[in-house]
């Protein structure tokens, strides 16, 4: 997969692509990226990319012309590299978009090319959205000044789902992988500041460990995100074993 990030501040996402697991995925050729500086497509010597919005109001809006030229350049590059039938998705990261979640991350991970527009100021001209954007996505019910940070959140959630980046075993029981939150994890030392690792994890009894982890996942999800449990019950995705555990947890919970 290749990520194309259109931004006024390419140095922000560059640090992410050059670090940790992402850097290894890039080195191995699993992930590619292109940081497109929108200012390179501005017309004047000052590289102006914003102006005041029609109709008045506070703040500035990103100009459509430089962004349009940047998107045309990316589109041309994708066609030249993969052909016109490649799977490509253009995403504008904005607080007014649809909520980002694990299901959407899985969906985006199937694309050949993911193009992310990083907004700034009051956002971008609606005509760019109407012409180019396939998805408007929000990472949460709050407002940020940096579209680059929000786009990086999406990239981080997506790239790790691509084959070869992380082992499939590591992904199977993560939070939201099946609608439940993850169970608690422990490592050495066995006792830390008077707190011991649960005995079941030291037992070597794989079935008991599996049951304990499932019960812990259910208990945490009930406590922190009961809406996920309600949704799983409604969709019929919980096993009979999980339903019995929920009944037990609900009875004993204060």
């Amino acid at each position: 997969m290749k990520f194309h990030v259109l931004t006024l501040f390419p140095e922000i996402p560059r640090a992410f692509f050059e670090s940790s697991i992402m850097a290894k995925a890039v080195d191995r050729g699993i992930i590619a990226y292109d940081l497109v500086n929108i200012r390179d497509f501005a017309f004047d010597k000052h590289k102006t990319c914003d102006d005041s919005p029609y109709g008045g109001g506070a703040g500035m809006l990103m100009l459509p012309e430089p962004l349009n030229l940047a998107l045309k350049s990316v589109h041309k590059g994708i066609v030249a590299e993969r052909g016109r039938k490649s799977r490509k998705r253009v995403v504008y990261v904005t607080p007014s978009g649809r909520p980002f979640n694990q299901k959407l991350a899985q969906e985006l991970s199937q694309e050949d090319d993911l193009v992310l527009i990083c907004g700034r100021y009051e956002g971008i001209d609606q005509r760019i959205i109407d012409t180019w954007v396939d998805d408007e996505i929000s990472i949460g019910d709050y407002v940020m000044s940096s579209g680059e940070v929000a786009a990086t959140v999406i990239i981080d959630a997506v790239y790790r789902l691509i084959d070869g980046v992380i082992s499939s075993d590591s992904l199977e029981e993560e939070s939201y992988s099946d609608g439940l939150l993850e169970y608690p994890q422990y490592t050495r030392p066995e006792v830390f500041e008077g707190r011991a690792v649960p005995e079941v994890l030291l037992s070597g009894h794989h079935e008991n460990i599996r049951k304990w982890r499932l019960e812990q996942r259910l208990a945490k999800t009930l406590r922190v995100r009961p809406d996920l449990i309600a949704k799983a019950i409604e969709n019929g995705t919980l096993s009979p074993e999980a339903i019995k555990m929920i009944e037990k947890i609900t009875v004993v919970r204060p």
Side-chain angles (χ1 to χ4, degrees):
M1 168 181 261
K2 187 170 185 177
F3 294 96
H4 308 261
V5 185
L6 282 70
T7 170
L8 297 174
F9 301 94
E11 62 273 15
I12 297 176
R14 179 176 290 112
F16 177 75
F17 282 106
E18 295 178 352
S19 303
S20 190
I21 299 173
M22 173 60 92
K24 294 177 182 178
V26 172
D27 288 341
R28 291 162 59 195
I30 301 172
I31 300 295
Y33 68 95
D34 179 23
L35 303 179
V36 181
N37 192 335
I38 301 169
R39 295 187 193 279
D40 291 341
F41 298 88
F43 299 129
D44 65 334
K45 65 179 181 179
H46 300 294
K47 301 295 183 180
T48 303
C49 287
D50 64 297
D51 205 341
S52 55
Y54 281 117
M60 304 289 279
L61 201 66
M62 290 177 66
L63 289 167
E65 293 98 331
L67 187 49
N68 186 56
L69 290 174
L71 285 162
K72 284 184 177 181
S73 175
V74 168
H75 176 71
K76 183 178 180 181
I78 292 173
V79 170
E81 183 176 351
R82 301 187 193 269
R84 293 189 175 274
K85 293 185 178 181
S86 66
R87 296 190 305 274
K88 171 178 68 71
R89 186 89 67 99
V90 179
V91 171
Y92 171 43
V93 188
T94 169
S96 62
R98 62 169 168 151
F100 186 62
N101 55 29
Q102 191 67 18
K103 182 180 179 181
L104 184 49
Q106 288 278 5
E107 182 182 324
L108 295 177
S109 71
Q110 304 304 307
E111 302 294 337
D112 293 323
D113 293 87
L114 190 59
V115 182
L116 295 113
I117 302 173
C118 302
R120 280 274 169 170
Y121 319 120
E122 294 300 309
I124 67 177
D125 192 292
Q126 182 63 39
R127 290 166 292 187
I128 293 294
I129 298 173
D130 294 341
T131 303
W132 286 100
V133 172
D134 299 307
D135 277 302
E136 294 181 72
I137 296 177
S138 168
I139 63 167
D141 296 338
Y142 48 87
V143 178
M144 302 174 65
S145 61
S146 172
E148 290 76 17
V149 173
T152 302
V153 169
I154 294 174
I155 293 168
D156 191 294
V158 170
Y159 93 98
R160 58 196 307 281
L161 300 175
I162 297 169
D163 289 343
V165 174
I166 297 177
S167 67
S168 57
D169 290 344
S170 297
L171 300 175
E172 285 180 358
E173 293 184 333
E174 290 185 323
S175 293
Y176 307 108
S177 59
D178 57 0
L180 300 177
L181 303 183
E182 192 173 13
Y183 50 78
Q185 302 266 24
Y186 299 86
T187 188
R188 294 182 177 88
E190 186 175 322
V191 178
F192 172 69
E193 296 192 347
R195 294 177 177 269
V197 174
E199 289 186 11
V200 65
L201 299 179
L202 308 174
S203 68
H205 195 297
H206 297 298
E207 178 61 11
N208 287 347
I209 292 173
R210 183 196 66 79
K211 289 180 179 179
W212 180 86
R213 285 175 168 171
L214 176 58
E215 186 171 4
Q216 291 295 313
R217 298 184 75 200
L218 291 165
K220 182 171 184 178
T221 309
L222 277 167
R223 185 176 69 254
V224 179
R225 291 291 305 274
D227 58 301
L228 294 177
I229 294 290
K231 184 176 181 180
I233 293 174
E234 181 182 349
N235 294 337
T237 56
L238 290 177
S239 66
E241 179 187 32
I243 295 295
K244 288 182 180 180
M245 285 185 178
I246 290 173
E247 293 172 353
K248 176 185 173 183
I249 294 168
T250 305
V251 169
V252 301
R253 191 169 57 175

